[in-house]
Amino acid sequence: MKAEFKDFIGSFHDFYPEGYCPHLIDEFERLVQSGAGSNRQQSEGVVKHGKNDLQLGLNFGVHNVVPFSNRSSTDLFFAGLQKCYDLYTEQYSVLKENKIYCTAMKMQRTDPGGGYHIWHGEQGNGTSSARVLAYMLYLNTLSLDEAGETEFLYQQCRVRPKENLMLIWPAAFTHTHRGNTVFGQRSKYIVTGWFYYE
């Protein structure tokens, strides 16, 4: 396990047990085969050249146990996320002065040619105004040729998808970002969500 911090982006390597990320991919595909999930055109009415991926809100706690851990997928996920969050708030300790919570666990599959092409922050109007941090766990590795990076505009950096790499960053406009197009034959899988002020 390794943690790195740059420009308020925390990178957390290998905080989940080996086999967990492929397990989540398998579970995602199983649920999609049963009819769960929706694409952005169905759920948001957006055009494909703006946002193009398949998303699924996860609640594995009731019906799914990770075979090698005897814990639910949700419990295991949030335990790892908590470790990353604790390290992040040690680095940026002012966050400890507020009550912050996280309950969302959303999984996305971005197929070749797809992406989240619009520059955006995670904080906005309505319920998203309470977002303080965003997180993302890459579930599989893509090569340089396959692209699919998360690109941060003002930090002038791109993060390549790497299995078992968690990112945490501020939800505000300062960390405007997008998901670049996936090339090649393989899809990109992530779990993502937000931390909120109470």
Side-chain angles (χ1 to χ4, degrees), residues 21-97:
C21 293
H23 168 75
L24 282 184
I25 291 173
D26 290 344
E27 284 302 298
F28 177 80
E29 291 299 341
R30 181 181 66 80
L31 290 168
V32 168
Q33 289 298 318
S34 70
S38 62
N39 62 39
R40 299 279 184 172
Q41 289 69 53
Q42 294 167 326
S43 63
E44 298 178 22
V46 297
V47 294
K48 280 189 175 182
H49 68 270
K51 302 177 189 178
N52 189 10
D53 57 26
L54 183 68
Q55 54 189 351
L56 175 66
L58 303 183
N59 181 9
F60 288 141
V62 176
H63 58 79
N64 178 262
V65 172
V66 181
F68 48 83
S69 74
N70 203 31
R71 297 175 71 184
S72 77
S73 295
T74 304
D75 288 346
L76 192 53
F77 178 80
F78 282 112
L81 181 61
Q82 185 67 51
K83 290 177 187 175
C84 297
Y85 175 79
D86 289 344
L87 290 170
Y88 192 89
T89 57
E90 282 298 316
Q91 182 73 13
Y92 306 111
S93 59
V94 70
L95 291 167
K96 294 183 177 185
E97 296 178 3

Side-chain angles (χ1 to χ4, degrees), residues 24-187:
L24 282 184
I25 291 173
D26 290 344
E27 284 302 298
F28 177 80
E29 291 299 341
R30 181 181 66 80
L31 290 168
V32 168
Q33 289 298 318
S34 70
S38 62
N39 62 39
R40 299 279 184 172
Q41 289 69 53
Q42 294 167 326
S43 63
E44 298 178 22
V46 297
V47 294
K48 280 189 175 182
H49 68 270
K51 302 177 189 178
N52 189 10
D53 57 26
L54 183 68
Q55 54 189 351
L56 175 66
L58 303 183
N59 181 9
F60 288 141
V62 176
H63 58 79
N64 178 262
V65 172
V66 181
F68 48 83
S69 74
N70 203 31
R71 297 175 71 184
S72 77
S73 295
T74 304
D75 288 346
L76 192 53
F77 178 80
F78 282 112
L81 181 61
Q82 185 67 51
K83 290 177 187 175
C84 297
Y85 175 79
D86 289 344
L87 290 170
Y88 192 89
T89 57
E90 282 298 316
Q91 182 73 13
Y92 306 111
S93 59
V94 70
L95 291 167
K96 294 183 177 185
E97 296 178 3
N98 297 283
K99 291 186 177 180
I100 296 172
Y101 70 96
C102 175
T103 58
M105 183 182 178
K106 182 174 76 167
M107 191 166 170
Q108 294 172 228
R109 184 187 75 203
T110 306
D111 294 328
Y116 194 127
H117 309 297
I118 301 168
W119 289 111
H120 65 286
E122 298 296 335
Q123 192 178 64
N125 297 323
T127 56
S128 68
S129 65
R131 293 175 183 171
V132 59
L133 299 169
Y135 74 80
M136 177 171 24
L137 173 66
Y138 296 105
L139 298 180
N140 63 328
T141 301
L142 295 183
S143 69
L144 286 173
D145 290 340
E146 292 172 308
E149 312 96 341
T150 304
E151 184 174 9
F152 290 90
L153 179 63
Y154 301 120
Q155 290 69 34
Q156 299 178 29
C157 75
R158 294 176 181 168
V159 180
R160 186 165 62 92
K162 182 178 182 297
E163 182 180 333
N164 210 347
L165 169 62
M166 174 77 78
L167 301 181
I168 297 178
W169 69 91
F173 75 93
T174 55
H175 286 70
T176 296
H177 59 284
R178 66 183 178 188
N180 287 337
T181 305
V182 175
F183 298 117
Q185 303 300 314
R186 297 189 304 147
S187 299

